[in-house]
Amino acid sequence: TVGQKTFTNDRIFAPYYVYKGKAAFSAEPIPPKFCKVDSGIRVKRQGFIMMTFSPSVGERKYDWQRKQMFALSPTEVGSLLALGPNGSCDFFHDPAMQTSNAGQVRKSLSIKPSPDGTGYFMSLSVTNNITKTNDRFSVPVTSAEFAVMRTSFSFALPHIMGWDRYSSQPPVFKEENAT
Amino acid sequence: TVGQKTFTNDRIFAPYYVYKGKAAFSAEPIPPKFCKVDSGIRVKRQGFIMMTFSPSVGERKYDWQRKQMFALSPTEVGSLLALGPNGSCDFFHDPAMQTSNAGQVRKSLSIKPSPDGTGYFMSLSVTNNITKTNDRFSVPVTSAEFAVMRTSFSFALPHIMGWDRYSSQPPVFKEENAT
Amino acid sequence: TVGQKTFTNDRIFAPYYVYKGKAAFSAEPIPPKFCKVDSGIRVKRQGFIMMTFSPSVGERKYDWQRKQMFALSPTEVGSLLALGPNGSCDFFHDPAMQTSNAGQVRKSLSIKPSPDGTGYFMSLSVTNNITKTNDRFSVPVTSAEFAVMRTSFSFALPHIMGWDRYSSQPPVFKEENAT
Amino acid sequence: TVGQKTFTNDRIFAPYYVYKGKAAFSAEPIPPKFCKVDSGIRVKRQGFIMMTFSPSVGERKYDWQRKQMFALSPTEVGSLLALGPNGSCDFFHDPAMQTSNAGQVRKSLSIKPSPDGTGYFMSLSVTNNITKTNDRFSVPVTSAEFAVMRTSFSFALPHIMGWDRYSSQPPVFKEENAT
């Protein structure tokens, strides 16, 4: 009954879903990418929390083919965690930033307090100048759902930064005579 | 003295008990269920925190045969975590929801501040129309006991969502030439 | 460079020390004890955070032979975590409780806000009616030291409850046809 | 697809960077050093969070050759975690403390609220009497960046204290007849 720890190396899919009348979103952490360096391994690209929005197409039905995504960086996650009861924040992303297509697609995610002060509105707007489309999703989030996000995003933040790797190393020993 | 990590694959039983004069309850996390998908594994059913109440049948004696259970979903756990000093919340479950027996058994769990403002009352009511019974349990929870629940439920929340699995995967490497 | 996780099975000693003019204390988590049951393993005795106090016997010298100990239960840890800026708490232990020696040794640990409101006093009093001794230790704790205790005790609480074991199990799979 | 957990034993490099106009800093946890004792392993030297500052030498360019470092002890991390909205703290280190070179190099790290109350200034000053130099770095930190530091430092604190080792041990069993 006591054996060795076994783990799956497969990718994990454990999104947190919030389904509401006009749209739904899911949140899911994506780990950082590492590269090898002489003395160990180094974070090459930070992880993020992927927010995916979809429009409602009927009662409890959502069209995930028409999904739009927004990747929250560690500092954007910090912004969400720092949000006070009536605070709000806005993030702007350009998926083609620093390429020749810069400015063609603009994404913005906003978090605003709901009028009754009990929760927030999470809204994603995607303006695509190439396809001449403008998608907008708005999902009301209760204080309970926001508490789940706050707690799970706090848990995930060290992970997407790569800091959880520090705890999975064997203990380091100090030589006897060193000071 | 330094060897390989060994773990038990057996089920863990580590309930947190609160024993009071008229009833007791225990709280225990139940992990999510996964299924295999092409590219990895996916949460099939979310986990929960199982609350189990039992009536007192004498000094420090409780009749666990007459227990009643209530499974807190991740969002219900979020509701408990978001509770302010004088906040309260109520959850309603129907164990036979979306079956032909819907409405026959109704469960409600309520958390209300105690009159002196130092803690909460956790109360479970189970009305069974088939057996014509109505069980009601109420357990006063001190601020210290609630702090244990708040801290341990915060810890357990990412686990019942399946998010702790993200940290148990090997580091992902980025190819040299990729951007 | 990528190998298998190796761990030590040896006991870990990682006390957090607070050294002050008249006394010092250390805090250290002690894991729960488990027993085997038919369907898995169960917590048999909860863990605790061991507080150890020693008197000062000169500049930066402490006599750990004259130490006195106090084991904080999970709920007592919760009491410390719930402490507001001007809150205080007192715990009373009888090491011989429910034996014929009950009442011979009485221990009390108190946490009180410091007069200037910037920290706390941690005080341990041990009255031994058999040896006719009364040991008393009082250690001023800064807000920084208390923040270390609050953060590390929050981390350790699920561990001394046995809840960290839930995360070290392999994922549970749900059969295809089950609902 | 389900195999054994594999880990790297290589050193991990996962600094959190804050880049601003005149300077940048990174923060990175450094684990404690252990030594073997008869009954297990003991923390020999506590870990810390290493803060590394570098001056800007052009747009988005920093001269890491001219970096200065400051190692935050667990209690200094606690001081940062305890910081209220308008709080500030100052830490002073002498890298040659208790040697014949004491007092030659003085380092101070200060955290002060920004005038508009939305963030902090992290400033490092290093005065070297031998080289007759005085380096000073000041980096404005937004509330979002400070929330990342607060969350990741809270995560790292038990790690640099060695407390995460307690969770990586196999469960301890209690003999049947013991009380």
Side-chain angles (χ1 to χ4, degrees), chain D residues 58-170:
Chain D
E59 206 180 338
R60 292 169 179 270
K61 283 197 189 312
Y62 301 90
D63 184 355
W64 294 96
Q65 305 286 7
R66 285 163 58 199
K67 71 184 177 192
Q68 291 283 1
M69 301 167 94
F70 196 95
L72 291 175
S73 73
T75 300
E76 286 164 346
V77 171
S79 195
L80 185 150
L81 296 177
L83 222 54
N86 286 302
S88 63
C89 53
D90 289 280
F91 309 123
F92 300 93
H93 286 186
D94 178 346
M97 194 173 61
Q98 292 180 320
T99 74
S100 57
N101 289 322
Q104 296 291 53
V105 176
R106 281 170 299 133
K107 297 183 173 187
S108 75
L109 182 78
S110 84
I111 310 176
K112 299 205 182 315
S114 61
D116 63 357
T118 63
Y120 292 93
F121 278 101
M122 299 276 295
S123 306
L124 176 65
S125 166
V126 180
T127 304
N128 189 323
N129 285 341
I130 302 163
T131 58
K132 310 286 182 203
T133 54
N134 189 344
D135 291 316
R136 194 175 159 77
F137 311 86
S138 192
V139 178
V141 174
T142 66
S143 62
E145 289 156 346
F146 201 74
V148 173
M149 291 171 64
R150 201 186 279 278
T151 301
S152 59
F153 287 19
S154 292
F155 172 84
L157 182 56
H159 173 63
I160 65 175
M161 294 166 67
W163 283 34
D164 58 339
R165 295 290 156 200
Y166 291 108
S167 296
S168 40
Q169 294 191 294

Side-chain angles (χ1 to χ4, degrees), chain D residues 22-37:
Chain D
K22 294 184 179 163
F25 71 81
S26 70
E28 192 176 16
I30 305 295
K33 293 274 174 55
F34 290 88
C35 63
K36 298 193 182 194
V37 290

Side-chain angles (χ1 to χ4, degrees), chain C residues 4-33:
Chain C
Q4 272 201 285
K5 189 169 194 177
T6 51
F7 270 98
T8 175
N9 290 339
D10 290 330
R11 213 184 132 188
I12 309 290
F13 298 95
Y16 177 60
Y17 289 102
V18 175
Y19 299 106
K20 292 296 161 73
K22 293 184 177 161
F25 71 81
S26 69
E28 192 176 15
I30 305 295
K33 293 273 174 57

Side-chain angles (χ1 to χ4, degrees), chain C:
Chain C
T1 53
V2 176
Q4 272 201 285
K5 189 169 194 177
T6 51
F7 270 98
T8 175
N9 290 339
D10 290 330
R11 213 184 132 188
I12 309 290
F13 298 95
Y16 177 60
Y17 289 102
V18 175
Y19 299 106
K20 292 296 161 73
K22 293 184 177 161
F25 71 81
S26 69
E28 192 176 15
I30 305 295
K33 293 273 174 57
F34 290 88
C35 62
K36 298 193 183 196
V37 291
D38 271 2
S39 46
I41 66 172
R42 167 177 278 280
V43 169
K44 180 82 175 171
R45 201 179 64 189
Q46 287 204 294
F48 42 87
I49 290 182
M50 183 60 88
M51 306 292 297
T52 305
F53 288 75
S54 285
S56 165
V57 289
E59 206 179 338
R60 292 167 178 273
K61 282 195 190 315
Y62 301 89
D63 184 355
W64 294 98
Q65 306 285 8
R66 286 163 57 201
K67 72 184 176 193
Q68 291 282 0
M69 301 167 95
F70 196 95
L72 291 175
S73 73
T75 300
E76 287 164 346
V77 170
S79 195
L80 184 150
L81 295 177
L83 221 55
N86 286 302
S88 63
C89 53
D90 288 280
F91 309 123
F92 300 93
H93 287 185
D94 178 345
M97 195 174 61
Q98 292 180 320
T99 75
S100 58
N101 289 321
Q104 296 291 52
V105 176
R106 279 170 300 134
K107 297 183 172 188
S108 75
L109 183 78
S110 84
I111 310 176
K112 300 203 182 317
S114 61
D116 62 357
T118 62
Y120 293 92
F121 277 101
M122 298 275 295
S123 305
L124 176 65
S125 166
V126 179
T127 303
N128 189 323
N129 285 341
I130 302 164
T131 58
K132 310 285 184 203
T133 53
N134 188 344
D135 290 317
R136 193 175 158 77
F137 311 85
S138 192
V139 178
V141 173
T142 66
S143 62
E145 289 156 348
F146 200 74
V148 173
M149 292 171 64
R150 201 186 279 278
T151 302
S152 59
F153 287 18
S154 292
F155 172 85
L157 183 55
H159 173 63
I160 65 175
M161 294 167 68
W163 283 33
D164 58 338
R165 295 290 155 200
Y166 291 108
S167 296
S168 40
Q169 293 191 295
V172 176
F173 288 94
K174 192 172 163 61
E175 297 96 78
E176 285 299 316
N177 296 326
T179 42

Side-chain angles (χ1 to χ4, degrees), chain A residues 106-171:
Chain A
R106 281 169 298 133
K107 298 183 173 187
S108 75
L109 182 78
S110 83
I111 310 177
K112 299 204 181 314
S114 61
D116 63 357
T118 64
Y120 293 92
F121 277 100
M122 298 277 294
S123 306
L124 176 65
S125 166
V126 180
T127 303
N128 189 323
N129 286 340
I130 302 163
T131 59
K132 310 286 184 203
T133 53
N134 189 344
D135 290 316
R136 193 175 159 78
F137 311 87
S138 192
V139 179
V141 174
T142 66
S143 62
E145 289 156 347
F146 200 74
V148 173
M149 292 170 65
R150 202 186 279 278
T151 302
S152 59
F153 287 18
S154 292
F155 172 84
L157 182 56
H159 173 62
I160 66 175
M161 294 167 68
W163 284 33
D164 58 337
R165 296 289 155 201
Y166 291 109
S167 295
S168 40
Q169 294 191 295

Side-chain angles (χ1 to χ4, degrees), chain A residues 77-111:
Chain A
V77 171
S79 195
L80 184 150
L81 296 177
L83 222 55
N86 287 302
S88 62
C89 52
D90 289 279
F91 310 123
F92 301 93
H93 286 186
D94 178 346
M97 195 173 61
Q98 292 180 321
T99 75
S100 58
N101 290 320
Q104 296 291 53
V105 176
R106 281 169 298 133
K107 298 183 173 187
S108 75
L109 182 78
S110 83
I111 310 177

Side-chain angles (χ1 to χ4, degrees), chain A residues 3 7 10 13-14 16 34 165, chain B residues 7 41 75 163 168-169 172:
Chain A
F7 271 97
D10 289 331
F13 298 93
Y16 176 61
F34 290 88
R165 296 289 155 201
Chain B
F7 270 99
I41 66 173
T75 300
W163 283 33
S168 40
Q169 294 191 295
V172 176

